[in-house]
Amino acid sequence: IGTWANLAFTVPCYVYYQRIFFSLKSRRTARAMIGFSSAMMMVVYFVVVLIGIAGRVLLPDLENSEQVFPLIVTMMPALCAGVTVAGIVAAIQSSIDGQLLAATTIATTDLYKYTFKKNNVTPQQQMVFSKWCTVILGVIAMVMAILRPGSMMDFYNILIAPNASILFPTLLLGLFWKRTTKQAAIFGLCYGAIGGFLWLNFGPASVPGSLVIVPAALILMVIISLKTKPVSEETIQKFFATKRA
């Protein structure tokens, strides 16, 4: 349940998913797909739960939970096992290239070009920096995969849970409520980061932190928005165009 909740809050916030959302033909379709994709991801990740249940039934004495899936695959017919492994490899490849591209784009455009170089950079310099970012991030990912500070599921939850608390409240209000202010957005990001970290380390493991932190952040952001100066009409028109595509 915790993984489902975190995924529902996190999927709309991932940059490599947003690239897909923003490439759609209309704003209405993009907004609808954010909710639809979250629901679909929850269904897809239910398979992970089924694998764990199958492992408890078929391999009750297995000590290392990381071996559940490889051992279950060996019990399948050859054709079924081949299709399953091929699907996993394809899913890994599609996720890796999307995440590397998104991370490299953020580092190159937001940090290197606009923050450090103040938009004074040539396309060739951007390309070189982008290539080095891709290599460095890829090496870091491989080192983390080899070292593995815990089980894969624990590691995944550590990465995904804070994202839900940090990004989702600001994204939701920023997209659907024009009265959201800069102060509220900054507060939501900071509150989500601190709250997610504290819950991850000191909160009850049986209760997903996002189910508590996200609603609280939304309420507090609404209060702060109502107590601070509204965003200018020029900014609202920039992000909330009245003309519908």
Side-chain angles (χ1 to χ4, degrees), residues 44-65:
V44 170
Y45 274 84
F46 181 69
V47 177
V48 178
V49 179
L50 292 181
I51 293 174
I53 295 174
R56 293 294 296 270
V57 174
L58 300 175
L59 306 165
D61 299 325
L62 185 66
E63 294 182 359
N64 186 2
S65 60

Side-chain angles (χ1 to χ4, degrees), residues 116-163:
F116 298 123
K117 292 295 184 177
K118 305 299 182 183
N119 203 22
N120 185 23
V121 59
T122 65
Q124 182 63 28
Q125 290 174 321
Q126 282 185 257
M127 180 63 69
V128 173
F129 185 85
S130 175
K131 290 179 179 179
W132 277 110
C133 276
T134 303
V135 172
I136 293 172
L137 291 173
V139 171
I140 292 174
M142 287 189 291
V143 171
M144 294 176 68
I146 293 172
L147 296 179
R148 283 201 309 174
S151 69
M152 291 302 296
M153 202 63 195
D154 290 340
F155 193 46
Y156 185 75
N157 285 330
I158 290 173
L159 293 176
I160 195 174
N163 286 334

Side-chain angles (χ1 to χ4, degrees), residues 59-101:
L59 306 165
D61 299 325
L62 185 66
E63 294 182 359
N64 186 2
S65 60
E66 295 292 295
Q67 297 298 318
V68 169
F69 184 74
L71 291 177
I72 289 179
V73 170
T74 61
M75 300 177 183
M76 298 178 179
L79 179 60
C80 184
V83 172
T84 301
V85 173
I88 291 175
V89 173
I92 292 173
Q93 182 62 40
S94 65
S95 298
I96 289 175
D97 60 16
Q99 294 184 36
L100 273 177
L101 178 60

Side-chain angles (χ1 to χ4, degrees), residues 2-18 21 34 37-38 41-42 156-157 159-169 171 210 214:
T3 301
W4 289 351
N6 288 331
L7 280 171
F9 291 137
T10 304
V11 166
C13 304
Y14 279 159
V15 175
Y16 57 91
Y17 286 130
Q18 290 177 4
F21 299 149
I34 290 177
S37 62
S38 295
M41 288 296 291
M42 292 173 69
Y156 185 75
N157 285 330
L159 293 176
I160 195 174
N163 286 334
S165 302
I166 296 170
L167 300 176
F168 184 77
L171 178 68
S210 57
V214 169

